[in-house]
Amino acid sequence: MKKEHVLHCQFSAWYPLFRSLTIKSVILPLPQNVKDYLLDDGTLVVSGREEPPTRSQPDSDDEAEEIQAPEFPEFTTTVQEAINSLGGSVFPKLNWSAPRDAYWIAMNSSLKCKTLSDIFLLFKSSDFITRDFTQPFIHCTDDSPDPCMEYELVLRKWCELIPGAEFRCFVKENKLIGISQRDYTQYYDHISKQKEEICRCIQDFFRKHIQYKFLDEDFVFDIYRDSRGKVWLIDFNPFGEVTDSLLFTWEELISGRNLKGDFSDGDALEQECPAFRCTHSGVTVQPSPYLSYRLPKDFVDLSTGEDVHKLADFLKLKRNQQEDD
């Protein structure tokens, strides 16, 4: 995997090419001062509120030092206008990643955002977002200097997607070689019963809309198949270890050896059918891979009494949201 492959998978690189196949979105340049704020791990303070929290720390002369959450009035207005244009609720992400590891911290335990403060709370709590900022090319094999990045806030119109209808597709040399159930931690009876139909539907979508049209010949793409059987493009990812291989291993995908799916010989759709894998029963259900992210240092600090201002800030945000509702 090379750095150019990673760049080709950032949202603004592929969205103009496949706009008609995916969810309506708005891309906004991320100001440098907002990036600096998101990377500042000193406190979990969230800007964009009527009454920013303050904290006093006595110094050696018993003088108080006031600390405030930074405010970004112009950016706040721009973001709110974009959110309103998308129906009032959005799914936020950066160039590549969404803060999926931080969903638990939101008041609704979801990534659904209505204001910039909702987005900031998720972004500042997410290791995935931090990785986008600090290590976007971590698994790349080329030694060329890292390109100068221009970061973007991506706002996608909020849609209630059923996890059991999401699939990850692996493409090598412009051939669809594997399809995996996206939410592999759960068993979905309809996937086991309809796997041949699902596989055929995804293959047709790939051949018609994706094959030979993406910027690389090796890549990963995510799709959503709705209740009518229509397939929607969700995202692109690099073909490499930086992307979760789900029910496959990267050794299988890269080498092509032992790349078998869940079809028996009699069920195989055709000779070139991609390997299709899903969770077979409740016995194989696994814990969510995001569980390990659910106890951040901020909350450890709360439990020890070392950073009580973080709790006050968190509760203040909740109160403001309840007043808005």
Side-chain angles (χ1 to χ4, degrees):
M1 184 178 69
K2 296 183 178 181
K3 293 173 183 177
E4 65 175 346
H5 300 151
V6 176
L7 291 174
H8 291 164
C9 289
Q10 60 181 332
F11 191 85
S12 59
W14 66 260
Y15 181 68
L17 301 174
F18 301 98
R19 185 190 304 266
S20 63
L21 306 175
T22 191
I23 298 168
K24 184 179 179 182
S25 306
V26 173
I27 305 171
L28 301 174
L30 195 70
Q32 181 62 41
N33 59 345
V34 175
K35 176 187 172 184
D36 294 340
Y37 162 68
L38 292 173
L39 285 173
D40 178 15
D41 59 357
T43 57
L44 184 63
V45 288
V46 181
S47 68
R49 298 170 298 174
E50 294 180 359
E51 300 176 10
T54 61
R55 173 166 62 101
S56 294
Q57 292 181 332
D59 59 17
S60 56
D61 297 325
D62 295 327
E63 294 179 353
E65 178 185 359
E66 187 179 82
I67 297 179
Q68 297 186 29
E71 298 296 324
F72 313 98
E74 292 185 8
F75 186 63
T76 300
T77 300
T78 300
V79 170
Q80 195 58 54
E81 289 175 350
I83 292 175
N84 293 340
S85 73
L86 294 171
S89 300
V90 297
F91 173 90
K93 61 180 295 182
L94 277 186
N95 300 43
W96 297 278
S97 302
R100 294 182 181 274
D101 56 326
Y103 73 92
W104 56 270
I105 201 171
M107 306 306 165
N108 54 1
S109 294
S110 131
L111 300 183
K112 184 177 184 179
C113 295
K114 296 184 177 181
T115 65
L116 182 59
S117 62
D118 295 341
I119 297 170
F120 279 162
L121 181 63
L122 290 170
F123 276 21
K124 285 185 71 67
S125 306
S126 171
D127 288 345
F128 293 178
I129 295 298
T130 301
R131 186 187 64 188
D132 266 19
F133 280 134
T134 61
Q135 297 178 308
F137 307 106
I138 185 173
H139 291 292
C140 294
T141 55
D142 49 335
D143 296 327
S144 60
D146 288 354
C148 182
M149 288 301 307
E150 295 184 2
Y151 282 94
E152 301 155 343
L153 172 63
V154 178
L155 304 175
R156 314 206 68 185
K157 181 180 177 65
W158 179 260
C159 301
E160 295 289 348
L161 302 184
I162 302 171
E166 295 182 86
F167 299 89
R168 174 156 290 178
C169 309
F170 301 88
V171 178
K172 185 178 181 183
E173 298 177 352
N174 273 315
K175 294 182 179 180
L176 182 59
I177 63 172
I179 301 172
S180 174
Q181 172 182 330
R182 185 77 171 85
D183 181 19
Y184 65 90
T185 64
Q186 301 296 319
Y187 169 70
Y188 296 97
D189 186 59
H190 73 277
I191 295 180
S192 296
K193 292 180 178 178
Q194 302 174 18
K195 56 188 177 183
E196 291 88 355
E197 179 185 349
I198 293 171
C199 187
R200 184 185 300 108
C201 198
I202 294 174
Q203 281 184 287
D204 291 343
F205 177 82
F206 171 70
R207 291 175 184 143
K208 183 177 181 181
H209 300 293
I210 307 296
Q211 192 173 31
Y212 306 118
K213 294 180 175 66
F214 189 63
L215 299 172
D216 298 313
E217 62 176 15
D218 298 345
F219 56 93
V220 179
F221 67 98
D222 295 334
I223 64 95
Y224 181 82
R225 183 173 180 267
D226 65 24
S227 58
R228 299 169 298 171
K230 182 176 180 179
V231 175
W232 296 85
L233 176 64
I234 299 299
D235 205 359
F236 283 98
N237 295 283
F239 189 88
E241 292 183 7
V242 70
T243 302
D244 193 340
S245 59
L246 304 179
L247 293 173
F248 294 95
T249 67
W250 275 112
E251 181 181 359
E252 290 176 314
L253 293 166
I254 293 173
S255 69
R257 293 190 296 268
N258 300 318
L259 195 59
K260 298 178 180 179
D262 294 331
F263 297 122
S264 65
D265 293 339
D267 292 333
L269 299 178
E270 56 183 85
Q271 189 174 1
E272 296 296 325
C273 179
F276 183 95
R277 293 184 182 177
C278 60
T279 301
H280 293 291
S281 68
V283 176
T284 57
V285 167
Q286 306 174 43
S288 168
Y290 303 128
L291 287 178
S292 60
Y293 297 98
R294 295 187 67 172
L295 190 62
K297 184 179 183 301
D298 297 290
F299 276 64
V300 174
D301 291 344
L302 288 177
S303 67
T304 60
E306 293 180 5
D307 246 334
V308 179
H309 67 280
K310 295 180 182 179
L311 177 60
D313 195 64
F314 185 82
L315 295 176
K316 184 71 173 296
L317 174 62
K318 182 175 181 180
R319 189 195 72 181
N320 290 344
Q321 289 182 330
Q322 288 175 339
E323 290 176 352
D324 292 341
D325 292 339

